[in-house]
Amino acid sequence: MDESEEELDSRIESLLRQRHSLTNDLLAHPYDLVLYIQRALVYADLAYPDLAAGDAYRALLLTDEVRDESFEYHKQAFEALTTYADDPLLRVLDHGSLLGGQSRLPTLDGGVKDIPAIASLASIRCYQILSLSLLLCGCLKSASKFCDRGLALLPHNQELLNTRGYIQTVAERRTRKPFSGVNDLPDWGMVRREVYPWNSYEPDRFSEESLDILNSELANIAPKCTIQVSELPVLLGCPSRTDGYDIIPTCRQLGLFAKEDIAPGEVVLVEYSLVTANNRLKESVCDACSGELPPLGSESPAVNCPDCYDTVFCGQYCFEQAQKLYHPAVCDKDVDSIAKDPDAKEADDALHLLLLARVLAMAAHQEINPLDVNQIKYIWGDFVSSQTNEIDLSPNAGPPPDWTLPFSFTYNIEAPLHILEKMDIDIYATLADYDVWVFNTLYSKFRGTASARKSPRDLRPDVAAVHSFWCLANHDCDPNVTWEWGGRMVLKAREKRIVNDAPGGIKAGDEILNHYCDVNLPVQQRREWAHGSLGGWCMCRRCRLEASDSQNTSPE
């Protein structure tokens, strides 16, 4: 390790200690907007602009709480900000000429600090952090909107003026056309997809304890299978000449293996899940399993929730499971309309948000952290190491890393917090359970593992689910199983394989090879899907052979 690397490690360790201290302060004083701003700045220095935006947004909401006596947390937020009244100059607010040359915070007649005016200054500081952080995430539309809101309050603020110029420059480079207006800007970017250094919830999936827990549950739904450690090819971030190599880099993951011979057409697994989502407002699907509802009538097995009659379950079992695991947290809470009937281009994103909402409801009702929800706890989120994601600031640094988690302000920050508020959850006092990094970790687990079903009416994805054991069967573009989902996820051994129409069936000791995409697509499209969902190009044997053949037959 050279001197610059040692300095980088020392700097990151120092910032992580600051983050830990500020997080503890926030847990003790959850309505202190200054602490959120301070932690946002630490996140920015750690190269987590998405988390910086999350803290700045919570701080911004608290500035509204301070200034409006009718708001729910006005008293707590006002008192928290008042504790800084003896500080002649809040350094955290003095940025980008925010104080306009003033040496002291605003006061009322008599020298008493003007707390609402200080909150207004803090709101502009929040706009500075939000606009720059979202720009760094690639969320240009949201960045521009927050920048404009800040400039409306302080038109000559140099920090915001600079950020507005950066946004326009990046927009023109990204869209390859002159800046025409905020509504034409892209609003999705990429952020770090990792097990955060402070995440203590991620289990050791390879430990004997974890494998024993998983296999004891698996025995009930896939009696001829076992979960073992598997060696998988490492997904690549871009095209590579390694497609023709016999030996490629691999990584360890969990996999599903046959412990007995499984005949062609034989059922391998039948799994029930409550981590489901439906993005149609009035769709005739079960609220719990998202299977089709039986015809309604006096003899129908369908069950309505007695307290929110529009919520319907396909039968008594789903009703009881919902009551046991999640439904009381959202019952009659006006959550049903969120992210429903989205535009076609947002259908997938709405489903991911609704899956997140389901896990939040499960966590709230079970009074646990969302990352401890059993149905998602052991899912691997295609994480990249924190060290790989770090930005090297040294003079000899190479290009920045490729971050792989899709991110938007709306879906990763604003909407999850809105859902929690609808559930009557205090988004400040429950920071330990509902921080933005928790949302990001859940999204990492959903993307690439959630299965979706398209509507026969318009071929848009309208129902999705996460089946934690189904997704332990790793993806391969020459799978040995097929799957169907209709209230239960069913894996069956294929009658024939894709490649060369090889005979189906699975031998004892063979790995169960699933498929997460349409394996009839050409290799380029399959790899593009994998890059978007799994964070890298598929490197299964079939993809490498087809890509290698394509390169060999292409004209010079």
Side-chain angles (χ1 to χ4, degrees), residues 1-12:
M1 181 182 292
D2 61 28
E3 186 175 343
S4 63
E5 290 175 327
E6 290 180 358
E7 290 177 358
L8 177 64
D9 288 345
S10 175
R11 172 179 169 275
I12 290 172

Side-chain angles (χ1 to χ4, degrees), residues 19-282:
R19 182 218 167 261
H20 179 73
S21 177
L22 287 166
T23 299
N24 287 338
D25 290 343
L26 277 168
L27 297 180
H29 308 284
Y31 307 99
D32 188 333
L33 67 89
V34 174
L35 289 176
Y36 283 106
I37 293 175
Q38 290 175 332
R39 197 175 71 156
L41 296 175
V42 172
Y43 275 140
D45 287 341
L46 279 167
Y48 294 106
D50 49 331
L51 305 186
D55 274 2
Y57 184 63
R58 271 190 168 99
L60 181 63
L61 295 177
L62 284 168
T63 65
D64 292 335
E65 298 284 346
V66 170
R67 291 176 290 185
D68 194 322
E69 295 181 4
S70 67
F71 280 22
E72 184 174 3
Y73 304 111
H74 166 74
K75 180 180 178 182
Q76 297 97 315
F78 192 94
E79 289 177 353
L81 192 56
T82 303
T83 62
Y84 296 93
D86 294 333
D87 190 338
L89 177 63
L90 267 175
R91 297 292 176 187
V92 74
L93 300 183
D94 187 21
H95 189 73
S97 304
L98 182 55
L99 294 174
Q102 300 179 53
S103 60
R104 293 181 176 274
L105 292 172
T107 58
L108 299 170
D109 294 340
V112 178
K113 292 292 191 299
D114 187 347
I115 301 300
I118 296 173
S120 294
L121 276 177
S123 72
I124 300 171
R125 187 71 183 101
C126 293
Y127 289 130
Q128 291 175 341
I129 298 170
L130 275 162
S131 56
L132 183 57
S133 297
L134 291 171
L135 166 63
L136 293 173
C137 294
C139 307
L140 303 186
K141 181 185 291 186
S142 294
S144 182
K145 287 182 177 180
F146 281 117
C147 189
D148 289 346
R149 286 169 64 179
L151 286 170
L153 296 174
L154 201 62
H156 302 296
N157 180 254
Q158 193 59 50
E159 172 84 3
L160 290 169
L161 290 170
N162 290 344
T163 300
R164 185 169 67 179
Y166 301 148
I167 292 170
Q168 293 181 4
T169 298
V170 173
E172 290 174 355
R173 290 177 179 174
R174 188 165 160 185
T175 62
R176 298 182 180 179
K177 59 183 180 181
F179 177 76
S180 57
V182 64
N183 290 328
D184 294 328
L185 294 177
D187 210 26
W188 278 91
M190 292 288 183
V191 297
R192 298 167 69 157
R193 188 174 190 161
E194 65 184 54
V195 178
Y196 297 99
W198 54 85
N199 179 0
S200 61
Y201 294 96
E202 196 66 27
D204 179 357
R205 300 163 73 246
F206 304 132
S207 70
E208 287 189 18
E209 179 185 6
S210 294
L211 290 173
D212 287 345
I213 291 171
L214 291 169
N215 277 310
S216 66
E217 294 184 39
L218 181 71
N220 299 316
I221 62 175
K224 288 191 174 185
C225 294
T226 185
I227 295 168
Q228 300 173 192
V229 177
S230 175
E231 289 285 337
L232 298 180
V234 174
L235 302 178
L236 298 185
C238 60
S240 168
R241 295 182 179 275
T242 60
D243 283 325
Y245 291 8
D246 292 328
I247 300 175
I248 60 172
T250 60
C251 62
R252 296 170 76 230
Q253 292 294 346
L254 295 184
L256 204 60
F257 289 79
K259 59 184 182 181
E260 301 176 28
D261 288 351
I262 300 173
E266 184 178 351
V267 171
V268 176
L269 171 146
V270 179
E271 183 178 2
Y272 175 80
S273 176
L274 290 175
V275 186
T276 64
N278 158 41
N279 64 17
R280 304 281 186 163
L281 185 56
K282 296 295 182 181

Side-chain angles (χ1 to χ4, degrees), residues 217-500:
E217 294 184 39
L218 181 71
N220 299 316
I221 62 175
K224 288 191 174 185
C225 294
T226 185
I227 295 168
Q228 300 173 192
V229 177
S230 175
E231 289 285 337
L232 298 180
V234 174
L235 302 178
L236 298 185
C238 60
S240 168
R241 295 182 179 275
T242 60
D243 283 325
Y245 291 8
D246 292 328
I247 300 175
I248 60 172
T250 60
C251 62
R252 296 170 76 230
Q253 292 294 346
L254 295 184
L256 204 60
F257 289 79
K259 59 184 182 181
E260 301 176 28
D261 288 351
I262 300 173
E266 184 178 351
V267 171
V268 176
L269 171 146
V270 179
E271 183 178 2
Y272 175 80
S273 176
L274 290 175
V275 186
T276 64
N278 158 41
N279 64 17
R280 304 281 186 163
L281 185 56
K282 296 295 182 181
E283 193 75 354
S284 58
V285 296
C286 174
D287 187 76
C289 72
S290 285
E292 294 292 331
L293 287 175
L296 302 181
S298 58
E299 302 299 323
S300 175
V303 178
N304 294 80
C305 174
D307 297 313
C308 51
Y309 196 74
D310 286 342
T311 302
V312 187
F313 304 91
C314 63
Q316 188 66 25
Y317 179 77
C318 275
F319 172 69
E320 291 175 356
Q321 290 297 303
Q323 292 296 105
K324 176 183 176 182
L325 294 175
Y326 77 88
H327 185 63
V330 292
C331 185
D332 204 25
K333 296 287 178 65
D334 193 28
V335 179
D336 287 347
S337 61
I338 296 174
K340 295 298 178 73
D341 295 333
D343 292 338
K345 63 182 180 180
E346 295 189 355
D348 284 330
D349 303 316
L351 285 173
H352 285 125
L353 174 63
L354 292 168
L355 289 171
L356 177 75
R358 176 58 56 85
V359 173
L360 297 181
M362 296 173 84
H365 179 59
Q366 298 172 45
E367 298 182 344
I368 57 177
N369 185 281
L371 298 178
D372 265 338
V373 170
N374 189 54
Q375 288 82 350
I376 60 93
K377 184 180 180 71
Y378 295 95
I379 294 175
W380 180 247
D382 294 300
F383 301 116
V384 177
S385 71
S386 297
Q387 188 174 8
T388 302
N389 276 327
E390 289 167 0
I391 295 177
D392 188 350
L393 301 178
S394 66
N396 299 321
D402 288 326
W403 293 343
T404 59
L405 179 64
F407 177 90
S408 84
F409 169 75
T410 299
Y411 284 97
N412 292 65
I413 298 176
E414 183 181 37
L417 294 179
H418 178 56
I419 289 168
L420 291 170
E421 288 178 323
K422 285 283 190 179
M423 292 166 56
D424 296 329
I425 290 175
D426 183 337
I427 63 171
Y428 309 106
T430 60
L431 179 68
D433 290 330
Y434 303 112
D435 212 337
V436 172
W437 70 265
V438 176
F439 305 154
N440 284 356
T441 302
L442 291 171
Y443 275 129
S444 295
K445 290 172 179 277
F446 298 155
R447 289 185 176 273
T449 62
S451 53
R453 194 170 64 218
K454 292 182 178 180
S455 168
R457 296 192 299 272
D458 54 16
L459 299 181
R460 288 166 50 180
D462 60 356
V463 180
V466 174
H467 294 84
S468 56
F469 288 94
W470 171 84
C471 68
L472 286 177
N474 291 305
H475 172 79
D476 193 286
C477 293
D478 185 24
N480 54 19
V481 293
T482 61
W483 57 270
E484 293 180 0
W485 171 46
R488 303 289 190 278
M489 175 62 75
V490 180
L491 276 181
K492 290 184 179 180
R494 295 183 72 94
E495 300 283 353
K496 287 185 178 182
R497 303 289 290 273
I498 297 290
V499 176
N500 299 327

